[in-house]
Amino acid sequence: MAPLTKDQQPSDAARTRRAAAARRVAPMPAILLMFTLVLGFSSALAVNAYVANEFVPDHRHEEGSTNAVPRAVRDGGPLVETSRTGTRTYDMPAGMIALTFDDGPDPTWTPKVAEILRRHDVPATFFVLGSEVVKRPGIVRDLVADGHELGVHSFSHPELVGLPQWRRQWEYSQTQLAIAGAAGVTTSLIRFPYSSSPQAIDNEYWPVFQEAGGLGYLNVLTDTDSRDWERKGVDAIVRNATPQGRDGAMVLLHDAGGDRSQTVAALDRYLPEMKRRGFRFVTASDALNAARPAGAGAAFEGNAPASASLRWRGQGMVWLVQIAHRGLSLLMIALLATGVLTILRAILLFAGAAYHTRQRRSRRWSWGPPVTEPVSIVVPAYNEREGIAAAVRSLANGDHPGIEVVVVDDGSTDETADIVRGLGLPNVRLIQVPNAGKSRALNVGVAAASHNIIVMVDGDTVFEPDAVRRLVQPFADSRVGAVAGNVKVGNRRGVVARWQHIEYVIGFNIDRRLYDVLQCMPTVPGAIGAFRRQALAEVGGVSDDTLAEDTDLTIALARAGWRVVYEEGARAWTEAPATLGQLWTQRYRWSYGTMQAMWKHRAAVVERGPSGRFGRIGLPFLALFQVVLPLLAPLIDVLAVYGLFFYDRIETVAAWLGMLALQFLTAVVAFRLDRESLRPIWVLPLQQFVYRQMMYLVIIRSVLTALTGVRLRWQKLRRTGDVSLGHAGLAAAAPLGTAPPAAAAIVAAPIVAAPIVAA
């Protein structure tokens, strides 16, 4: 073998550049964009959690001792002033009715209530929830424009007596901010959630009333409860809201918190009836001013224009919540799409796998006469000292007649070439070239191969004895240009490797059955694939345009009109990454390379013939199930966690378990088809919490890297050589012998382009 000349050796500067590129884990623009999106996504959920509002409208605080509450308050009217100058209460003036509505605004019922009030020219006071105001600012703005009054009813409808002082004041201030942002006003009116008449105030609640008064609020209670929340019919609501004789009334109604159709209907009857009886409808502020004695000072103003600063801050909060709320709505739509895609994928996989299996196992099934012509196996190898010996032995000693193994050492810096040379196998040739990448190594090997059927194998992959023979049988059909084999994980001892074993069986091999049925196979795996030399020549060999050279090549063959099929019986055992870091590097390259290949062949979507068929079937499948679905899939887990806190827990858990059950079913089918033991799938739930999240991040990062236009470099994985055949093939592979060292053919290849030549 002729050694490499000094000119052929890569320079120190080139080595440094390659090492720096290999160390670069992620392009900075992609990291920044990913951080921005994650921050935005988290913020949207946080803001929606901030305004989440779940309450029981008819809850009541259990009354306790009342000895600390002034008798004048307990026996007084519904308008309670508490300030440093003392405590005063006011009854409703005779002949006046103040309508008050709690718990809104509601998108359905508040506008209907407002329409009834507008029709009868009646003002009212709406005690609103800040969390609802920021969601529906337009409704609040319309209420103020119609002459209605607004009051604080807290932000999230909690039982205030059980909260610390800072939280109570936060409930008031955030509601004020929401009102200012929505309607441009502030309010001095307050009604606590679950409060009722003055007689219900106890020792525990009285300090809360005093605290609110000290902040400048007028506490507005009620003396006439319509009890519309009971929903006992329109007659009952009208009867409960009607004052006795000419007594004034502070009437409690609701415009939210459930179905308020009875309230709306009752109002349409109640308002004209009370007017006929001579009652005048007023706001809470009007009632206070009418109840105050003459000379009590300036008129009380319930609502006043908000300052510019408060308006801007309030509008900022409203806009933020609106954006987050719409964002969550989009996420829910995306979640629905994810569920539909997941179920659709499962149905297609089951149907495709069933048809493929039934077809292949049919007695009448045959590719044609047995294929016995010799085969050249090309093995690109770069620093594969850990596994190259086992790989080459398994290939050279396969049971197919006429096997030639061409190992292309792509500038390895370890003992890879020496190990191959030392095997001394008569049907193995070694070609050494300077490091130029896997695609170049494959093309060199194909050019040097002696036969028309070319098998391409990774340097860490071990074949079962009959794998080559099974792999090449589809070439009996002259339409077949490439065959994908069945890749198995050979190192299953670690948790990470076991997870990949599950993924290989479920995510790769069952997929290939469906792609085979649809005749749109997107990838012949680099670990085990066979090609016609003529087909390779037609597409110009293996391209280095993408990091997924196997996907790029397969799509090119399909577009050229060659059929690409899957032979599940041809099994090869590969070494899967043993650590999360190595796994991340590998899957990042795969995902990014697949997207590169899809983009490169995008023109197929509008072309005719075989290319157009793949473009309109194969590319959409790749886009939907290898890009879109993985991008959306994290929503299942993220929104499940979110739903546990802010939605119905039972429904959330049921939905998540339903998706897990579907995955279990898919796993069982896939493992049965591959004749694998079902024991590994019991770690599937654990896989959801670690492995799946990592795969989410890989695909997200790959998409962001693609969007930022950064081109990645090849990332070499560290190998351990820990690969063994499955139980069926292990015994057969063990006694592989070796020939004398002198029998090995070793060739040194110069640094020149090696063309693909059709024999």
Side-chain angles (χ1 to χ4, degrees):
M1 180 187 72
L4 295 177
T5 67
K6 182 177 181 180
D7 292 338
Q8 292 174 325
Q9 295 284 355
S11 67
D12 292 341
R15 292 194 189 98
T16 301
R17 286 194 299 270
R18 281 200 292 269
R23 288 194 300 269
R24 187 172 58 177
V25 177
M28 186 56 66
I31 292 178
L32 293 176
L33 184 55
M34 183 174 179
F35 175 78
T36 302
L37 291 177
V38 170
L39 181 61
F41 181 75
S42 303
S43 298
L45 293 180
V47 170
N48 279 283
Y50 169 77
V51 298
N53 184 27
E54 295 287 340
F55 65 91
V56 182
D58 57 350
H59 173 77
R60 288 291 184 271
H61 167 68
E62 295 184 5
E63 296 180 30
S65 177
T66 61
N67 62 320
V69 183
R71 180 173 293 276
V73 173
R74 289 183 56 79
D75 295 341
L79 301 170
V80 182
E81 280 187 330
T82 57
S83 64
R84 296 177 181 177
T85 60
T87 299
R88 289 174 297 276
T89 66
Y90 300 93
D91 289 309
M92 284 294 298
M96 290 187 183
I97 296 177
L99 297 180
T100 62
F101 294 88
D102 287 6
D103 299 340
D106 181 272
T108 300
W109 303 113
T110 302
K112 292 183 178 182
V113 167
E115 173 58 30
I116 298 295
L117 296 175
R118 187 182 305 114
R119 187 189 311 159
H120 295 283
D121 193 23
V122 169
T125 304
F126 290 81
F127 289 93
V128 296
L129 295 171
S131 60
E132 299 303 313
V133 172
V134 292
K135 295 176 187 175
R136 304 169 187 98
I139 296 177
V140 177
R141 192 178 306 116
D142 291 343
L143 290 177
V144 173
D146 285 347
H148 301 298
E149 205 168 46
L150 302 178
V152 170
H153 195 49
S154 80
F155 191 85
S156 58
H157 209 281
E159 184 74 84
L160 293 174
V161 74
L163 300 179
Q165 181 182 25
W166 71 266
R167 172 66 192 280
R168 288 195 296 268
Q169 295 187 8
W170 179 90
E171 291 281 337
Y172 312 151
S173 64
Q174 295 303 295
T175 306
Q176 285 280 15
L177 194 61
I179 292 173
V185 300
T186 60
T187 180
S188 298
L189 305 174
I190 194 167
R191 173 178 287 168
F192 302 144
Y194 313 117
S195 63
S196 56
S197 65
Q199 291 73 34
I201 302 175
D202 60 13
N203 292 351
E204 198 172 5
Y205 242 120
W206 177 238
V208 180
F209 279 82
Q210 291 178 302
E211 175 186 281
L215 295 172
Y217 288 104
L218 171 69
N219 290 285
V220 181
L221 297 171
T222 181
D223 55 19
T224 306
D225 189 352
S226 70
R227 303 183 73 84
D228 60 343
W229 46 270
E230 291 181 340
R231 299 186 182 89
K232 290 186 176 180
V234 172
D235 292 339
I237 294 173
V238 172
R239 183 172 57 253
N240 292 333
T242 301
Q244 294 183 358
R246 292 290 298 166
D247 291 347
M250 182 72 70
V251 180
L252 173 62
L253 295 153
H254 296 82
D255 63 324
D259 184 355
R260 298 304 176 198
S261 57
Q262 293 182 7
T263 301
V264 173
L267 275 175
D268 207 20
R269 183 196 302 178
Y270 176 79
L271 298 180
E273 184 175 328
M274 292 301 102
K275 283 187 174 183
R276 283 195 301 270
R277 291 178 54 179
F279 282 94
R280 182 163 66 96
F281 289 95
V282 297
T283 64
S285 297
D286 293 335
L288 176 64
N289 288 323
R292 276 178 163 181
F300 178 83
E301 190 175 9
N303 289 170
S307 66
S309 173
L310 192 62
R311 282 200 310 273
W312 279 109
R313 285 162 47 207
Q315 287 173 359
M317 182 173 74
V318 169
W319 291 337
L320 178 62
V321 172
Q322 291 288 299
I323 293 172
H325 193 60
R326 287 183 173 84
L328 185 60
S329 298
L330 292 176
L331 291 178
M332 291 301 180
I333 294 173
L335 178 63
L336 177 62
T338 302
V340 171
L341 283 176
T342 301
I343 295 172
L344 176 62
R345 178 178 181 271
I347 293 173
L348 290 173
L349 288 179
F350 293 156
Y355 180 83
H356 185 274
T357 302
R358 184 172 63 252
Q359 184 186 48
R360 294 297 188 270
R361 293 177 182 176
S362 170
R363 291 183 179 179
R364 293 174 294 178
W365 171 257
S366 173
W367 289 108
V371 175
T372 58
E373 64 180 281
V375 173
S376 294
I377 304 177
V378 177
V379 186
Y382 174 70
N383 290 349
E384 298 285 359
R385 64 182 178 186
E386 293 84 2
I388 193 65
V392 172
R393 285 196 187 101
S394 71
L395 299 170
N397 290 276
D399 63 8
H400 183 80
I403 289 179
E404 170 195 53
V405 180
V406 180
V407 179
V408 182
D409 181 68
D410 186 33
S412 296
T413 58
D414 64 2
E415 301 82 24
T416 298
D418 293 335
I419 293 172
V420 174
R421 188 182 302 111
L423 293 175
L425 297 173
N427 56 343
V428 175
R429 284 194 292 152
L430 174 66
I431 300 176
Q432 289 184 273
V433 295
N435 180 256
K438 184 177 180 180
S439 300
R440 163 67 193 281
L442 286 170
N443 286 331
V444 168
V446 172
S450 306
H451 307 302
N452 291 329
I453 296 179
I454 310 293
V455 174
M456 296 183 185
V457 185
D458 287 340
D460 61 343
T461 302
V462 176
F463 271 34
E464 292 189 356
D466 63 350
V468 175
R469 174 171 51 83
R470 289 178 176 270
L471 185 65
V472 301
Q473 294 311 306
F475 289 118
D477 185 338
S478 61
R479 298 171 300 171
V480 174
V483 183
N486 189 339
V487 184
K488 315 295 288 183
V489 174
N491 55 322
R492 303 181 185 178
R493 284 195 286 267
V495 174
V496 175
R498 288 178 185 173
W499 285 340
Q500 290 170 88
H501 166 50
I502 295 174
E503 182 187 25
Y504 270 63
V505 175
I506 300 175
F508 296 158
N509 293 335
I510 195 172
D511 280 2
R512 289 195 178 100
R513 289 177 170 89
L514 173 62
Y515 289 132
D516 194 358
V517 170
L518 297 177
Q519 298 185 29
C520 61
M521 186 79 66
T523 306
V524 172
I528 176 171
F531 303 85
R532 286 187 192 274
R533 181 186 291 272
Q534 178 186 352
L536 291 173
E538 281 191 22
V539 298
V542 184
S543 170
D544 64 353
D545 292 340
T546 74
L547 291 182
E549 78 292 327
D550 46 5
T551 299
D552 186 6
L553 174 60
T554 306
I555 295 177
L557 291 171
R559 293 183 66 188
W562 290 98
R563 187 178 175 191
V564 182
V565 301
Y566 174 56
E567 177 49 62
E568 61 190 75
R571 305 202 304 177
W573 299 75
T574 190
E575 180 180 349
T579 67
L580 291 177
Q582 291 281 296
L583 177 64
W584 175 280
T585 299
Q586 182 194 67
R587 298 312 167 84
Y588 185 24
R589 174 173 58 82
W590 285 4
S591 299
Y592 184 78
T594 299
M595 293 176 200
Q596 286 180 308
M598 291 169 58
W599 182 253
K600 175 181 176 179
H601 295 281
R602 64 191 182 279
V605 175
V606 296
E607 292 178 343
R608 297 182 179 180
S611 180
R613 186 180 187 281
F614 184 88
R616 289 182 286 276
I617 298 178
L619 286 182
F621 262 77
L622 275 178
L624 283 176
F625 298 125
Q626 292 196 30
V627 179
V628 175
L629 184 56
L631 278 176
L632 296 179
L635 293 176
I636 296 176
D637 296 326
V638 173
L639 293 180
V641 174
Y642 183 81
L644 289 176
F645 293 96
F646 302 107
Y647 289 100
D648 187 286
R649 288 183 174 85
I650 295 178
E651 291 182 3
T652 298
V653 172
W656 191 87
L657 290 178
M659 299 304 293
L660 182 61
L662 182 61
Q663 288 186 318
F664 259 111
L665 178 60
T666 305
V668 170
V669 171
F671 272 67
R672 285 302 186 196
L673 288 173
D674 257 21
R675 296 183 175 86
E676 290 277 359
S677 168
L678 295 179
R679 283 181 295 179
I681 70 173
W682 295 112
V683 302
L684 195 59
L686 179 61
Q687 187 186 39
Q688 310 304 300
F689 295 102
V690 181
Y691 187 83
R692 192 166 75 176
Q693 275 65 32
M694 183 174 179
M695 294 301 102
Y696 294 160
L697 294 176
V698 165
I699 192 71
I700 291 171
R701 180 178 146 194
S702 299
V703 170
L704 295 180
T705 302
L707 291 176
T708 53
V710 178
R711 182 179 176 87
L712 295 184
R713 301 294 186 92
W714 185 274
Q715 304 284 328
K716 169 64 181 172
L717 299 181
R718 185 178 63 84
R719 301 298 184 185
T720 64
D722 183 19
V723 179
S724 60
L725 295 181
H727 299 299
L730 187 59
L736 298 178
T738 59
I746 303 173
V747 180
I751 269 182
V752 293
I756 302 297
V757 182

